[in-house]
Amino acid sequence: VKEDFSTESAETLTLSILHSGVLKASKSITIADTSVSIDGSITFSTSTNVSGAITEVNEDDSTVYILYNTINTPNGTILGVSFEGIEPADLTASFPTTVTINNNTAYLSFKVNKDWTTEGDQFLIAKLLLVNGSILQNTLIVRDSSKTPVIDALYYSTTNTGTSPVTNNGESSTVYLYMETTNIPDGTVMNIAY
């Protein structure tokens, strides 16, 4: 008799023997329900425990944990997970399709990318398929804190500080390409094509 992870009343299994359509013998056994209810929750957190629970996060490269907490799930149980809502490029994670439960817990982590694109708030919906067929889900709001990068000025200068702009220069002279920007972090590498 297979455990079904569903709490229900006692059931009766009856085995009957027929010969030419006539009942010859019958025996019944009562099956006591020893199943325990399976349940759980999904929590987004700033740490690997629920004390750091969050419902929203900014696009700021912070680490977010998805905590899968279950009740009465045997160690080593593999459960299906899925994700939807946010563009994959907005996260630094390659989410699996399953998690393995140990001590009624599993977790995944990811970072929300600061993508420089003003696109409005997005949502990450995480789902967990329990062994009894129930689906748990939770939604994280990803606040768009990006600011569109702006190139305020772009010119050539005879100094590397941009204090001597030029529009033409002699062949043997050194010139520097000078750029002033807004909303582009220091240290960002910009590709230039000539």
Side-chain angles (χ1 to χ4, degrees):
V1 177
K2 184 177 179 185
E3 182 175 20
D4 60 7
F5 299 107
S6 180
T7 305
E8 55 214 2
S9 60
E11 299 173 287
T12 303
L13 174 65
T14 303
L15 176 65
S16 300
I17 299 174
L18 302 173
H19 178 62
S20 300
V22 177
L23 179 64
K24 296 294 181 180
S26 179
K27 192 68 177 173
S28 296
I29 185 171
T30 300
I31 300 171
D33 184 11
T34 58
S35 297
V36 291
S37 294
I38 301 289
D39 201 0
S41 64
I42 299 173
T43 304
F44 294 98
S45 181
T46 56
S47 66
T48 57
N49 61 59
V50 294
S51 65
I54 57 174
T55 57
E56 62 183 58
V57 66
N58 290 329
E59 283 184 336
D60 61 359
D61 296 329
S62 59
T63 299
V64 176
Y65 295 88
I66 305 172
L67 309 177
Y68 299 97
N69 295 303
T70 62
I71 298 169
N72 299 320
T73 303
N75 285 343
T77 300
I78 298 172
L79 300 177
V81 294
S82 66
F83 308 91
E84 58 189 61
I86 196 168
E87 295 295 322
D90 289 338
L91 305 175
T92 55
S94 179
F95 289 128
T97 57
T98 61
V99 292
T100 302
I101 300 295
N102 284 304
N103 298 318
N104 284 309
T105 305
Y107 72 89
L108 300 173
S109 65
F110 64 93
K111 287 190 175 191
V112 180
N113 294 331
K114 186 181 253 182
D115 62 6
W116 295 1
T117 303
T118 305
E119 60 212 347
D121 293 345
Q122 297 182 73
F123 302 91
L124 172 61
I125 302 167
K127 295 183 180 182
L128 177 67
L129 175 62
L130 297 176
V131 293
N132 64 2
S134 299
I135 298 175
L136 303 175
Q137 77 175 40
N138 197 359
T139 302
L140 178 70
I141 301 168
V142 180
R143 298 282 181 209
D144 187 4
S145 55
S146 300
K147 295 180 180 173
T148 303
V150 177
I151 297 177
D152 300 307
L154 182 64
Y155 56 88
Y156 289 100
S157 174
T158 56
T159 63
N160 65 356
T161 58
T163 56
S164 299
V166 293
T167 55
N168 57 40
N169 205 31
E171 287 182 341
S172 63
S173 301
T174 300
V175 293
Y176 299 89
L177 179 60
Y178 188 77
M179 180 174 19
E180 294 175 6
T181 64
T182 303
N183 301 328
I184 297 178
D186 289 344
T188 299
V189 175
M190 304 291 287
N191 294 322
I192 298 172
Y194 291 97

